[in-house]
Amino acid sequence: MCGIVAYLGENNAYDVLIKGLKRLEYRGYDSAGIALIDKDLSIFKKQGKVNDLETTFSGKTPHGKVGIGHTRWATHGEPNDVNAHPHYSSDKNLAIIHNGIIENYDSIKKELQQKGHQFLSETDSEVFIHFIEDIQKNNKCSLDEAVRIALTKVVGAYAIVILSKDNPDQLIAARKGSPLVIGIGAENNEFFLASDATPIVEYTKNVVYLNDEEVAIIDKTTGINIKNIEAIEQSPYVHTLDMELEAIEKGGFDYFMLKEIFEQPRSVADCMRGRLISEKEHALLGGIRKHFNDLVEAKRIIIVACGTSWHAGLVAEYVIEEFTRTPVEVEYASEFRYRNPIINKGDVVLAISQSGETADTLAAIELAKNKGAIILGICNVVGSSIARASHEGAYTHAGPEIGVASTKAFTAQLTVLYILALMLAKEKNTITKNQFLELSRQMESIPDKIKQVLDLNDEIEKISTLYKDVRNFLYLGRGYNFPVALEGALKLKEISYIHAEGYPAAEMKHGPIALIDKEMPVVVIATRDSSYDKIISNIQEVKARQGKVIAVVTKGDALIPSMVDHVIEVPPTHEAIMPLVSSIPLQLLSYHIAIMRGCNVDQPRNLAKSVTVE
Ligand code: M6R
C-alpha cells in the first residue's frame, strides 16, 4: 500500500515524480503529493488522485532537480489534504514519504509532544520525521545516522525517502518490510527511487533492491552508499531489470484490467515456456532445485496466501493431493501467522503472492521459517520481499499486473502450481506416463483455449447488461471449479461493489438457498467433469426457486442449456486444469458489469494492489 517515488539528477524532478506516481497509483489513490527543492523545500499535496494533484498545482511548482512523491492508501488518519504525504519536520527543513506502518508511533508522538513538537496530521509518518529530526538535533549527527538510530527504535514496516533542504544533492532512504528499488541513471549521477520498478524502467534497467533494515545515502557525487542498522557498510548489488516499458502501458485498451485479461494466452504460455514440454516428458521449475528433494519427501505441504492467491492455493490443494498423494493444507496467511500453527519437520510451505509484498504472507513465512520449515515462494514480482524471504521458488512471469483485480497473475499462479504438481508426481511415481502426457498436452493447449474464451467477450458483455443493476450474486462450483466460484465472486465484488458469494455448490442447501428467488443471479461453473451430474441437481435446485442461472458449460453440452437462462461455452480440457479456462469468462463478466456501473475497475475504492499492512 502506498507508492513512493523520488528523483535526484539534472532534469525537472516534477515531471519524473508525476509520471512515476501515475505508474504507482495502483498501490493507493486516497491522496497524492510531492516535495521539491528549488531554493526552498516546498510540499504540494492533495486528497484524491494524481490527476487532482496535477490540476490543483498546475504551473505553481518550481523547477527542482530533486524531489519525492507519494500516493497514499490511508492507514492512520482519513484521506484528506493534511494527512497526505510528504510530511515536514517541525523546522520544515526535512520532508518524508513513507509506505508502511509505525506501530509504536503513539508513544513516540507523546514523548515528542512533551518536548514541544506540534503535529499537523494524524499520521504515523509525520511522527517518524519529527522523531528523526529530534534525534539529529540531540545527537548533532548526520541525517543518515539520525535515520539509522531512529530505525533501531521504531517498530513496524517502512520504506522511506527523506529530502533535506540543507543537502539538495542527497536523498536518504531506508526500508524494512516495505519495498524500495533504486534505479541508477546512465550518467551515474541520476537516481530514481520507487516502491517498484515501474516508474524506473523508462529511464534505466540498472537497479539496486534495498534490503530490510538498510539505510541508503544517495548522493549526486558519491553515488549509492548503503549501511545496515548496525552502521556496517554494505556493497550494493546492481541487478538488471527484465521488464519492458510496453508491459506497463495500456496498449490501446481502456483499462489495464482488460488488457491483462486479454494477455492471458501469452502470459500462460510464457509461464510454461521451457518448463513443461510434453513430448520430452519434461516438467521442471528451475528455481526449485536445492529443495526439490524436501518437496518430494514432504509429509505435508502448507500453502499460505491471501485473496486471489489463496484461491490459486485451493486449486493446488486438489491437484497436488490428487496427483502426488502428499497432504496439502491451505491457510489464509493472516490466520496462520497468529494461531501458533503446528509445523513438523519435513513440512514444506508454499507462499503464493502476485506482488511478493503482502504483509500477512511475509509474516506467515517468517513464522514458518522460525519453526524450521522450508519456504518455496511463488511470486510474480521479481526481486520482491517474499521472493527474497523464501529459500527457493518460482516466478510466474505474468509481467507487471497493474489492475488491482488479479487476473493474469491468477492463471499464471495456477500454471506454476500445475507444473509443480506434475514434476512432483513424476518424481514420486504417483502418476502414470500416460496421465503425465495427457495432462501436459492439455496444459500446452490452454493458451489457445483461453483465446477461444476471449472470443466470447461480446456475448459475455450482452449477458452483463441484464445483471448490471442487481444487488447480489451467487457463484457455485464443485471440485476443481469450487475455487473458481470463490474467485469469480471476489472479482465481481471488488470491482463492481455488488455483493457476491462463492460456495461449493452442494453447500447451497445448508443456508444460501434461502436467498434464491427470481431476483438472484447464480453463476454456476458446470463444465463436464466427474461432478457433472451432481451440479445438474444443484442447478435444478436453483431453478425450482426461480433463480436466474448463468452457466459456464463445456462446448457442445446439450443438457444444461435447456435448463438455464444463459450459457457461456468453454472448450473442453482435463477437469484438473479446467480452472485455467473456466475462470476467464468470470473475469470478463465482472469487468463488463463493473464498467456498466461506472466503476473504475483498475482502481476500485478502498483497495490497493499491494497490501503491505496487516
Ligand atoms: O499480491 P498478493 O497476491 O499477495 O495479493 C493478495 C491479495 O491482496 C490479492 O489477491 C487481492 O485479493 C486481489 N485484489 C484480488 O483480485
Side-chain angles (χ1 to χ4, degrees):
M1 312 335 235
C2 300
I4 63 179
V5 59
Y7 175 76
L8 174 65
E10 293 303 327
N11 292 310
N12 187 357
Y14 176 83
D15 295 340
V16 179
L17 296 177
I18 290 288
K19 213 181 215 187
L21 287 179
K22 286 185 178 166
R23 296 217 195 282
L24 290 174
E25 207 166 25
Y26 72 90
R27 301 178 68 90
Y29 27 84
D30 289 330
S31 62
I34 54 172
L36 295 162
I37 298 183
D38 181 13
K39 284 189 194 78
D40 273 329
L41 195 175
S42 322
I43 290 181
F44 307 87
K45 53 188 187 172
K46 185 82 195 136
Q47 179 181 356
K49 302 205 167 166
V50 182
N51 274 338
D52 301 314
L53 176 77
E54 255 188 311
T55 321
T56 311
F57 297 107
S58 162
K60 296 178 191 154
T61 52
H63 188 104
K65 293 178 180 173
V66 60
I68 56 180
H70 187 271
T71 177
R72 179 170 186 241
W73 187 84
T75 56
H76 294 67
E78 63 176 88
N80 59 26
D81 293 355
V82 177
N83 289 330
H85 294 218
H87 293 285
Y88 279 124
S89 56
S90 56
D91 63 7
K92 292 199 164 43
N93 279 339
L94 304 175
I96 191 171
I97 46 173
H98 170 215
N99 168 26
I101 284 188
I102 302 305
E103 289 168 19
N104 57 340
Y105 85 103
D106 202 35
S107 56
I108 299 175
K109 187 174 185 174
K110 282 189 183 120
E111 246 176 63
L112 291 171
Q113 278 168 329
Q114 277 162 13
K115 292 182 175 179
H117 283 254
Q118 286 177 2
F119 295 95
L120 304 173
S121 76
E122 300 155 86
T123 64
D124 51 345
S125 316
E126 190 188 10
V127 175
F128 204 172
I129 192 64
H130 279 237
F131 187 43
I132 291 166
E133 174 189 32
D134 189 65
I135 293 172
Q136 192 184 10
K137 283 191 177 149
N138 290 339
N139 292 279
K140 299 196 174 29
C141 61
S142 63
L143 180 57
D144 60 283
E145 178 59 6
V147 170
R148 191 192 66 76
I149 296 170
L151 300 190
T152 61
K153 306 197 185 242
V154 297
V155 180
Y158 49 81
I160 54 169
V161 186
I162 297 171
L163 189 58
S164 162
K165 187 176 153 188
D166 297 335
N167 209 343
D169 285 344
Q170 212 175 67
L171 290 166
I172 307 292
R175 72 154 278 187
K176 182 185 166 200
S178 302
L180 194 60
V181 191
I182 307 169
I184 307 164
E187 300 304 320
N188 275 349
N189 61 354
E190 188 176 39
F191 300 93
F192 308 84
L193 287 78
S195 300
D196 67 36
T198 56
I200 297 176
V201 63
E202 175 169 358
Y203 308 103
T204 176
K205 294 217 164 175
N206 296 329
V207 297
V208 172
Y209 293 99
L210 205 60
N211 289 312
D212 268 350
E213 302 199 323
E214 284 182 350
V215 180
I217 305 145
I218 298 109
D219 189 289
K220 249 190 197 170
T221 319
T222 53
I224 304 174
N225 289 290
I226 299 179
K227 286 182 194 158
N228 70 8
I229 205 159
E230 272 105 37
I232 300 168
E233 297 255 347
Q234 309 290 303
S235 334
Y237 179 77
V238 182
H239 297 253
T240 307
L241 282 178
D242 180 20
M243 186 192 280
E244 298 304 327
L245 189 57
E246 302 83 71
I248 52 168
E249 297 192 325
K250 283 191 195 145
F253 285 87
D254 289 342
Y255 285 92
F256 281 111
M257 181 181 176
L258 192 62
K259 175 187 174 229
E260 287 156 7
I261 291 174
F262 274 84
E263 273 175 353
Q264 290 174 106
R266 187 200 49 74
S267 54
V268 169
D270 284 351
C271 182
M272 270 190 294
R273 186 160 302 118
R275 291 167 155 181
L276 189 68
I277 308 168
S278 61
E279 65 191 37
K280 292 190 177 156
E281 288 177 53
H282 170 86
L284 182 73
L285 293 169
I288 305 178
R289 285 177 192 271
K290 257 193 355 239
H291 293 287
F292 182 53
N293 205 42
D294 294 313
L295 199 57
V296 175
E297 304 284 317
K299 301 270 175 304
R300 188 172 61 139
I301 294 173
I302 302 167
I303 297 179
V304 291
C306 304
T308 289
S309 301
W310 184 80
H311 296 155
L314 284 184
V315 176
E317 176 185 20
Y318 282 38
V319 177
I320 295 173
E321 290 203 344
E322 172 68 23
F323 295 107
T324 76
R325 309 314 297 155
T326 306
V328 179
E329 282 170 27
V330 188
E331 299 260 3
Y332 282 117
S334 54
E335 288 297 314
F336 181 81
R337 63 180 288 197
Y338 284 119
R339 69 168 186 78
N340 192 15
I342 297 168
I343 296 174
N344 299 314
K345 198 164 179 296
D347 287 345
V348 171
V349 170
L350 292 185
I352 309 174
S353 173
Q354 187 288 128
S355 61
E357 302 296 343
T358 301
D360 284 323
T361 310
L362 254 177
I365 289 177
E366 292 310 328
L367 175 80
K369 248 193 193 170
N370 290 340
K371 288 179 181 257
I374 297 296
I375 317 291
L376 303 178
I378 296 174
C379 297
N380 193 38
V381 178
V382 176
S384 55
S385 303
I386 291 176
R388 289 185 300 143
S390 304
H391 291 105
E392 277 194 303
Y395 284 116
T396 50
H397 296 309
E401 190 180 66
I402 313 277
V404 163
S406 188
T407 53
K408 64 171 180 171
F410 175 66
T411 46
Q413 287 167 343
L414 291 182
T415 306
V416 165
L417 291 162
Y418 286 125
I419 298 170
L420 183 103
L422 283 173
M423 76 192 245
L424 192 53
K426 194 168 165 237
E427 185 66 24
K428 289 180 75 174
N429 258 322
T430 45
I431 51 171
T432 63
K433 184 175 170 182
N434 280 345
Q435 275 177 312
F436 181 91
L437 278 177
E438 156 73 357
L439 277 161
S440 50
R441 282 189 186 133
Q442 290 288 347
M443 284 289 290
E444 284 164 345
S445 69
I446 288 294
D448 186 55
K449 289 180 180 169
I450 295 178
K451 255 187 221 141
Q452 293 177 43
V453 182
L454 295 173
D455 288 342
L456 305 176
N457 188 31
D458 291 348
E459 211 176 290
I460 295 170
E461 188 175 4
K462 275 192 205 126
I463 299 175
S464 308
T465 51
L466 304 172
Y467 295 99
K468 68 177 174 43
D469 296 318
V470 303
R471 293 169 61 87
N472 299 289
F473 251 93
L474 210 55
Y475 284 72
L476 303 177
R478 298 182 79 118
Y480 295 103
N481 279 327
F482 155 54
V484 176
L486 297 184
E487 175 60 8
L490 173 61
K491 220 82 305 174
L492 184 71
K493 72 184 121 188
E494 74 176 322
I495 60 168
S496 74
Y497 319 138
I498 294 175
H499 171 242
E501 296 286 345
Y503 273 96
E507 272 294 303
M508 185 184 56
K509 58 184 170 293
H510 299 288
I513 200 165
L515 297 168
I516 310 265
D517 61 15
K518 61 180 180 1
E519 307 294 331
M520 177 65 107
V522 184
V523 176
V524 188
I525 305 108
T527 49
R528 207 171 250 295
D529 57 23
S530 47
S531 44
Y532 181 73
D533 293 338
K534 304 279 176 209
I535 205 138
I536 287 182
S537 311
N538 301 131
I539 290 175
Q540 280 166 337
E541 287 156 14
V542 175
K543 285 315 296 174
R545 286 152 187 89
Q546 295 170 357
K548 299 275 182 295
V549 175
I550 303 164
V552 176
V553 302
T554 307
K555 208 174 199 157
D557 188 321
L559 186 55
I560 295 179
S562 67
M563 300 174 182
V564 301
D565 301 84
H566 313 277
V567 286
I568 301 171
E569 282 194 326
V570 299
T573 188
H574 190 290
E575 66 174 304
I577 58 176
M578 183 48 96
L580 278 171
V581 178
S582 56
S583 55
I584 311 295
L586 308 189
Q587 296 171 351
L588 287 170
L589 188 73
S590 310
Y591 172 82
H592 288 299
I593 290 178
I595 292 291
M596 286 168 197
R597 290 165 67 89
C599 303
N600 179 344
V601 297
D602 284 343
Q603 295 174 350
R605 69 183 181 209
N606 305 337
L607 278 167
K609 183 75 184 160
S610 176
V611 186
T612 53
V613 294
E614 64 169 296

